[in-house]
Amino acid sequence: MSKVTVVDHPLVQHKLTLMRDINCGTKDFRQLLEEIAMLMAYEVTRELPLEEIEIETPITKCKSKIIAGKKLGIVPILRAGLGMVDGVLALVPTAKVGHIGLYRDPETHLPVEYYCKLPMDVAERDLIVVDPMLATGGSSIAAIEFIKRRGYKSITLMCLVGCPEGIEAVQKAHPDVNIYIAAIDEKLNENKYIVPGLGDAGDRLFGTK
Ligand code: PRP
Ligand code: URA
């Protein structure tokens, strides 16, 4: 079974509270989401393997550590995942960025795919899929399925707010995918929105509706 890590760093929790507030406007919402994504990326990348290389400082030659192994890719689930990309890129500027377009059908609440473009070098990349909301889990599950179908094997999911139902669904569908999340809320309401949640992340991020 995959690991679920709640990123409970005080800065993350503080910024998330500001975002949840109904009075938080688009500009602040966007900025806070980017900042939280950066802080969470610090945790997600904590266990990247290191290797020693030899370098020369102005003083002497020495061995020093750099990140070893595969390179990273970031895959936002459109639209709201876009708001997390720059935060991750601030820490990992060389990461490539793929995109998956999905929306939840308002009647069935099931994800509908409309776009998918991923980095080509499948074998070389560890992917971080980013989406602020993990509600039923349908969108994340579908996105990860599309990614796996294209050959990617090393995938981590990074979300802001989830609920037990959605997390369990992702764990069941993709037991190999570890999840990083800032908060696990109480439940879903009858419209499959997270309670208390923060409302519709895409609309709040882009000022639509
Ligand atoms: C939101 C959110 C997730 C999805 C979560 O996107 O950004 O992708 O809902 O819900 P789920 O876990 O039940 O699938 P939405 O479908 O509203 O699209 P948008 O980002 O384009 O607004
Ligand atoms: N999508 C959102 O944007 N918010 C929710 O609470 C659930 C799905």
Side-chain angles (χ1 to χ4, degrees), residues 3-179:
K3 201 169 82 175
V4 179
T5 304
V6 178
V7 182
D8 57 0
H9 190 287
L11 284 172
V12 171
Q13 297 303 316
H14 177 87
K15 290 171 193 291
L16 176 56
T17 298
L18 299 180
M19 287 180 76
R20 286 184 192 273
D21 193 318
I22 193 172
N23 295 310
C24 177
T26 300
K27 175 178 163 290
D28 288 342
F29 191 92
R30 195 177 290 149
Q31 186 178 334
L32 289 162
L33 181 58
E34 186 179 324
E35 289 171 359
I36 293 180
M38 185 178 70
L39 293 164
M40 289 186 74
Y42 184 75
E43 287 299 327
V44 172
T45 54
R46 179 180 286 282
E47 294 188 12
L48 286 179
L50 292 169
E51 64 179 329
E52 264 191 340
I53 58 165
E54 192 161 288
I55 55 160
E56 190 169 354
T57 74
I59 308 298
T60 183
K61 282 188 177 168
C62 70
K63 294 204 163 159
S64 197
K65 289 175 182 143
I66 58 163
I67 290 170
K70 292 195 281 181
K71 297 170 185 154
L72 285 182
I74 310 163
V75 183
I77 302 178
L78 307 181
R79 288 176 300 166
L82 283 175
M84 301 174 79
V85 173
D86 284 350
V88 183
L89 283 175
L91 289 194
V92 196
T94 55
K96 287 195 177 166
V97 182
H99 294 87
I100 292 200
L102 290 175
Y103 68 88
R104 284 204 320 183
D105 182 285
E107 302 297 324
T108 64
H109 308 301
L110 294 172
V112 182
E113 186 195 3
Y114 60 88
Y115 188 78
C116 185
K117 189 96 179 169
L118 298 174
M120 293 300 288
D121 44 359
V122 171
E124 285 179 36
R125 301 262 157 199
D126 291 329
L127 294 187
I128 306 172
V129 176
V130 295
D131 191 333
M133 308 310 281
L134 179 51
T136 65
S139 302
S140 293
I141 290 170
I144 294 165
E145 263 164 29
F146 296 138
I147 292 170
K148 283 184 174 173
R149 258 186 244 154
R150 285 161 174 86
Y152 291 90
K153 290 190 167 56
S154 172
I155 302 165
T156 300
L157 177 63
M158 181 172 125
C159 299
L160 203 59
V161 182
C163 62
E165 187 177 327
I167 290 171
E168 277 165 31
V170 174
Q171 284 188 301
K172 195 162 166 219
H174 298 293
D176 54 322
V177 173
N178 289 332
I179 302 171

Side-chain angles (χ1 to χ4, degrees), residues 166-204:
I167 290 171
E168 277 165 31
V170 174
Q171 284 188 301
K172 195 162 166 219
H174 298 293
D176 54 322
V177 173
N178 289 332
I179 302 171
Y180 287 77
I181 199 150
I184 303 176
D185 282 8
E186 196 188 323
K187 59 180 182 183
L188 295 174
N189 70 11
E190 60 284 4
N191 294 319
K192 305 290 182 196
Y193 273 79
I194 297 170
V195 181
L198 48 71
D200 188 305
D203 285 340
R204 294 197 65 191

